[in-house]
Structure formats: C-alpha cells, structure tokens
Amino acid sequence: MSFCIAIDGPAASGKGTISRAVAARFGFEHLDTGLLYRAVGQLVLQGTEPLEAARALVAEDLRSDGLRTPEVAQAASRVAVIPEVRAVLLDFQRAFATRVGGAVLDGRDIGTVICPDAPVKLFVTASAEIRAERRFKELLAGGHDVTQEGVLDDVRARDARDAGRSDAPMVVATDAIVIDTSGMAIEDAVSAAVAAVDAARA
Ligand code: DC
C-alpha cells in the first residue's frame, strides 16, 4: 500500500532534516523535490534552455556537485516559476509519491499539488532571520564566501518568488499541521512530525 507524507516549507526551515528522520523512522523512501528544481537550475546556468533541461533530467543530475550553492538555489527558484517546467517534473514526483511501501516528499507544493490527498501534511517554517542564520552557518562551513545579510536577502527573495508565483505557489495546505522550528530543538521538531504520522496511521 502507498502512504505519502507531504512536507512543505521555505528554505532552511528544517524540512529536509525532518523529512530524512521521518523516512528513516518509518522505513519510507524520501525524495527532496528541491533537488529536481536545483538540477534544472544548474543546467540552465550552464546554458541549457529551462524546458529542455527539465525534459533531459536524469537521476545522475540529482547527484551533481554544486547543487547546494546560493547561485543554484536562486536559479532553481527562477525555473520553478515556469509552469511547463513544473508540468514536466510532476509525473516523476507523483509516481514516487504512490510507490508501494510509503514515501516522504519534501518541497513547496507537495501537500497542495503533488499529493493533495496525502494522509499526513506538514508545513515546516521558521522566521526568515533564523533560517538565514542557519543557512549562513551551513554555507560558511561549506567554504562559501557569504555574508549573513546577503544570505538573508537571498532567503527573502526566494520566499517572495516561491510564494508569489501563480503556478503551485508555496502556501500552507488547509489541512496541514504547521511546525514552527524558530525556537525549537530539531529533535523536538522531529518528534512532533513523528507524532503526526503515528496519529494518521493509528
Ligand atoms: O527546497 P530547496 O531550497 O532545495 O528548493 C529550491 C527551489 O526549488 C525553491 O526555491 C523553489 C523550488 N521548488 C519548488 O518550486 N517546488 C518544490 N516542490 C521544491 C522546490
């Protein structure tokens, strides 16, 4: 039987960590759908046209180096505005969501567009300042030349673009449970997510 857990939220909210922990806890497969858009964004930065890049995407591209850079994140957010690009990536995500044995998908539109009937929907968020601080520390640790103000500007620009687009904007699904990780230890956020899944499976 399939069982889809939809986890949405903005950049650096903690949704990736929570998704991986929930998938491991329940033995489900996990898909970070942001990687699909990042891989398309990276190909576009290398000169490929967005729709062509989305159509040509192969599994190998999701393991490509450099997908986590700020430049690729912004390029991902820009290609994600294009309805035709989203349409090309939709089937793969839906197929993954309905795989036997259960799936956790994280992104921006999982609970609203990809899996509107998901039995568990979470929206993981945190203030822009806290998310920028987390992302700044990650990027510094990864050797990137960034400033905290620059990262905050990037976070805000991406939030505005992801929430403001007309096709599949980032929005809290009406039946989603919101987890605000601003003042929360990540273990507590994972526990809240696991409790929501347990409740839905009971
Ligand atoms: O989750 P992430 O930061 O890796 O995502 C990168 C960009 O991809 C994000 O700014 C918007 C886009 N995205 C999207 O539009 N829909 C998704 N389901 C996942 C990501």
Side-chain angles (χ1 to χ4, degrees), residues 66-202:
L67 289 182
R68 296 285 172 200
T69 67
E71 295 73 28
V72 168
Q74 293 295 342
S77 176
R78 284 195 297 272
V79 298
V81 167
I82 305 169
E84 292 80 6
V85 166
R86 304 197 73 84
V88 169
L89 302 179
L90 186 108
D91 288 349
F92 175 77
Q93 294 174 82
R94 286 243 170 99
F96 192 96
T98 53
R99 65 195 294 143
V100 173
V104 179
L105 283 82
D106 78 82
R108 302 289 188 291
D109 63 338
I110 309 303
T112 50
V113 174
I114 305 297
C115 309
D117 298 326
V120 183
K121 296 183 188 178
L122 306 176
F123 191 90
V124 183
T125 189
S127 72
E129 289 74 15
I130 286 186
R131 290 185 288 116
E133 191 182 332
R134 290 175 187 161
R135 189 47 54 89
F136 173 65
K137 286 178 180 159
E138 275 171 25
L139 290 168
L140 265 194
H144 295 276
D145 182 18
V146 285
T147 63
Q148 193 153 341
E149 298 70 45
V151 175
L152 179 57
D153 286 348
D154 273 9
V155 160
R156 288 199 171 123
R158 208 137 68 88
D159 284 355
R161 201 184 295 114
D162 294 347
R165 67 183 176 227
S166 51
D167 189 22
M170 172 176 70
V171 58
V172 184
T174 50
D175 50 352
I177 296 168
V178 177
I179 301 178
D180 188 329
T181 64
S182 300
M184 230 183 194
I186 192 65
E187 302 77 41
D188 295 335
V190 169
S191 298
V194 167
V197 179
D198 277 335
R201 277 160 53 104

